Amino acid sequence: MTVTRAGLAGGATAIGYWTFFREPLAAQLASQSGYDFVCVDHQHGAGDFAAATRMIDAVVMGGATPIARAPSADPAALGALLDAGALGVIIPMVNTAEEAAAAVQACRYPPAGERSMGAIAATVHHGDDYFYEANDTILVIPMIETATAVDRVFDIARTEGIDGLFVGPSDLGASLGRPPALDDPASDFQSALGRVVDACRGCGIAAGIYGSAELLRQRIDQGFRMISVSTDWDHIVNGINDDLRDARSALDRRGSQ
């Protein structure tokens, strides 16, 4: 696995891929292609929990670090994704330090937290010592997606046990009264990104963001260190449209001859 708690704490940069479709082979292809992490989106993805578990299986097989975006901060939802073998959870709509602390408790075994025992699939994937190693390996990454969260981001970043904060740019933009987008030149949006990075730097955790390959250099220059750069949705939709456009253009040229 290529993304670790120690690596992020030590300043490593991780490049990731995001999956929305319920297609394990696509997740495995992304995983084995060399991405540091592959995130299975169980909040907005097309699959149910059974599909998410198959996607996590596929990411493990490919060799990248399996990350899952949970549907909510519900402890049962977080625990189920970890039990399935995810080595990190990205937790949506965290707006307070108290919510971040509750997420940590749900992801750590006692005495550090309150996670329930029973990680059968995770033990198969990660070895018989999983229980003893999980608290030192599981990544807990709250999302910053609202103006409220940005206002409280320094308190959230200081929460013991979290490994990073992950910006959802579209939701953040919408919260600021802007059109949802991966980036926005508006000063309040850019200031919010800077505030998240500053909070993470000050607390020694990683600043992450959902992004694109085109924005990668900009995000690294801004200080983000955990960045998704593409999705299965992008590749499938763009591939379909590009090939169809080229085919139609070829037919049009042939018809005009």
Side-chain angles (χ1 to χ4, degrees):
M1 303 305 170
T2 56
V3 181
T4 65
R5 295 190 75 201
L8 288 182
T13 297
I15 304 302
Y17 191 84
W18 209 270
T19 64
F20 292 105
F21 291 122
R22 48 182 181 268
E23 179 41 68
L25 281 177
Q28 185 176 343
L29 281 170
S31 180
Q32 66 191 31
S33 70
Y35 285 97
D36 298 310
F37 69 93
V38 174
C39 181
V40 175
D41 195 325
H42 191 42
Q43 181 187 22
H44 295 304
D48 57 14
F49 180 70
T53 64
R54 291 192 291 273
M55 298 288 283
I56 292 169
D57 293 345
V59 177
V60 173
M61 290 176 63
T65 298
I67 304 290
R69 175 156 69 169
S72 71
D74 177 67
L78 298 177
L81 290 168
L82 295 178
D83 286 351
L87 288 178
V89 282
I90 294 175
I91 304 142
M93 291 294 175
V94 174
N95 289 310
T96 68
E98 291 75 17
E99 290 172 357
V104 172
Q105 288 289 299
C107 295
R108 305 280 184 231
Y109 286 124
E114 299 175 350
R115 181 182 170 189
S116 177
M117 287 291 299
I120 303 303
T123 301
V124 172
H125 283 316
H126 306 303
D128 291 339
D129 290 333
Y130 175 82
F131 169 76
Y132 302 101
E133 299 172 352
N135 282 359
D136 295 325
T137 57
I138 296 299
L139 295 162
V140 182
I141 306 171
M143 292 194 78
I144 303 298
E145 302 182 271
T146 67
T148 298
V150 172
D151 288 342
R152 300 168 178 171
V153 71
F154 285 89
D155 290 335
I156 295 171
R158 283 191 286 266
T159 303
E160 184 176 355
I162 66 171
D163 302 289
L165 300 177
F166 205 91
V167 175
S170 292
D171 279 315
L172 178 57
S175 178
L176 294 170
R178 303 288 300 174
L182 292 182
D183 195 32
D184 191 323
S187 59
D188 55 349
F189 181 87
Q190 296 299 323
S191 176
L193 296 188
R195 186 172 169 86
V196 174
V197 170
D198 288 345
C200 290
R201 280 176 174 163
C203 296
I205 61 175
I209 191 166
Y210 180 89
S212 67
E214 292 77 15
L215 288 169
L216 178 62
R217 174 51 57 188
Q218 176 183 333
R219 295 302 185 225
I220 290 175
D221 290 345
Q222 289 173 316
F224 288 97
R225 295 196 287 106
M226 188 176 185
I227 308 159
S228 69
V229 298
S230 194
T231 73
D232 54 1
W233 167 269
D234 292 327
H235 284 142
I236 291 173
V237 171
N238 291 339
I240 289 171
N241 291 335
D242 289 348
D243 286 349
L244 179 59
R245 182 185 62 248
D246 292 346
R248 293 293 186 196
S249 178
L251 284 175
D252 290 343
R253 288 196 301 271
R254 182 178 178 85
S256 64
Q257 293 175 352

